[in-house]
Amino acid sequence: MTVTDHPGEAATAEWNAAAGPRPAGDPGGTREHLGVDEGPAPQDLPPNLTQAILEATKQVASLLKAAGHPFALAGSVAVYAHGGPGNLQHDADFCILPEDADAVADTLRDAGLEVYTPPEDWLLKARCLGQDIDLIFELARQPVSRELLERAEMLPVESVRMPVLAVTDLIASLLNAFTEHHCDFGAVLPIARALREKVDWSRVRRECGAAPMPDAFLYLLERLQVIEPEEEPHDGP
């Protein structure tokens, strides 16, 4: 998360300065002259992939449901299904059982989807409607369990109902994924803010709080008053 000065401050100071000579052909002064960063041109902005990712999610979920494979939606689309931020830009994630990986791959291939094995040994990847699909059988360095999938909630993703990771499991998986080499608090903070009232934070602390990075994030949430501080145990009667 980057904090910058108010974007109008530099321009205001320039506008209030004494007027000087302007270059020929620049009667009004350019934005560079005013000290304003124009930012990326419209053609440089990332495309809005939200609807495309949602369509791919529905397609894959329908195939998995029809074949009877246990699964749960995870990642950013699961956050969206629970009512969190909905600007989807990357892929759709599905948790599956490790022992079902080959059968899931066969189901998707039979439906005409490309499925391949990436260098990482904890997931398969697929392509659906031009979008990336991650089929995860190890979540935050722990194998996906049947108990995790059984705790999933049936939620609609637009017109298709599907199992979605329970919100506490979802938040715990995001915190447990923090490491010294990948620790983007800025990406998870708005998710925690949006879903905080649905999360069992006591359970998140039990499952994640012993590790330094999740513990630091939980402390940040307390300081920002997103969650209540953990109550200290009382000594004596």
Side-chain angles (χ1 to χ4, degrees):
M1 180 179 297
T2 303
V3 179
T4 61
D5 294 332
H6 191 285
E9 290 178 356
T12 302
E14 190 76 16
W15 290 334
N16 290 336
R22 295 193 177 110
D26 185 22
T30 63
R31 289 172 62 85
E32 291 83 1
H33 175 73
L34 296 175
V36 179
D37 182 6
E38 291 190 34
Q43 64 269 22
D44 297 330
L45 296 174
N48 188 340
L49 300 177
T50 297
Q51 195 57 45
I53 292 173
L54 291 175
E55 291 299 326
T57 299
K58 294 189 292 182
Q59 180 79 11
V60 172
S62 297
L63 292 171
L64 298 179
K65 286 169 60 178
H69 298 302
F71 74 94
L73 185 65
S76 59
V77 189
V79 171
Y80 170 84
H82 279 294
N87 183 22
L88 310 178
Q89 293 295 336
H90 298 292
D91 52 25
D93 301 315
F94 291 86
C95 288
I96 61 174
L97 296 172
E99 60 267 28
D100 287 350
D102 290 341
V104 166
D106 289 342
T107 293
L108 299 185
R109 287 193 182 103
D110 290 344
L113 275 62
E114 177 190 2
V115 182
Y116 59 97
T117 303
E120 299 85 359
D121 59 0
W122 47 271
L123 82 165
L124 298 174
K125 285 186 172 287
R127 293 281 292 175
C128 179
L129 304 177
Q131 303 305 311
D132 290 323
I133 305 294
D134 284 356
L135 304 160
I136 300 168
F137 43 84
E138 185 175 300
L139 189 64
R141 299 175 293 281
Q142 294 294 324
V144 172
S145 67
R146 197 171 294 274
E147 291 74 20
L148 177 74
L149 299 186
E150 288 174 351
R151 289 197 298 267
E153 302 176 35
M154 289 297 295
L155 297 174
V157 176
E158 292 193 321
S159 59
V160 176
R161 292 181 63 81
M162 64 187 72
V164 179
L165 277 186
V167 67
T168 300
D169 288 323
L170 181 59
I171 292 294
S173 71
L174 294 174
L175 268 61
N176 277 327
F178 288 148
T179 68
E180 289 84 353
H181 301 290
H182 179 77
C183 193
D184 187 358
F185 286 2
V188 182
L189 179 57
I191 297 172
R193 283 187 187 275
L195 302 181
R196 60 184 173 180
E197 295 181 358
K198 301 179 179 181
V199 178
D200 181 348
W201 290 106
S202 295
R203 197 183 119 206
V204 171
R205 285 188 172 99
R206 289 196 305 271
E207 296 183 2
C208 308
M213 298 304 174
D215 184 54
F217 184 74
L218 290 168
Y219 177 68
L220 174 64
L221 293 182
E222 292 177 2
R223 290 298 307 272
L224 294 175
Q225 299 183 342
V226 175
I227 62 175
E228 294 292 330
E230 187 174 21
E231 294 185 7
E232 296 291 338
H234 295 288
D235 294 330

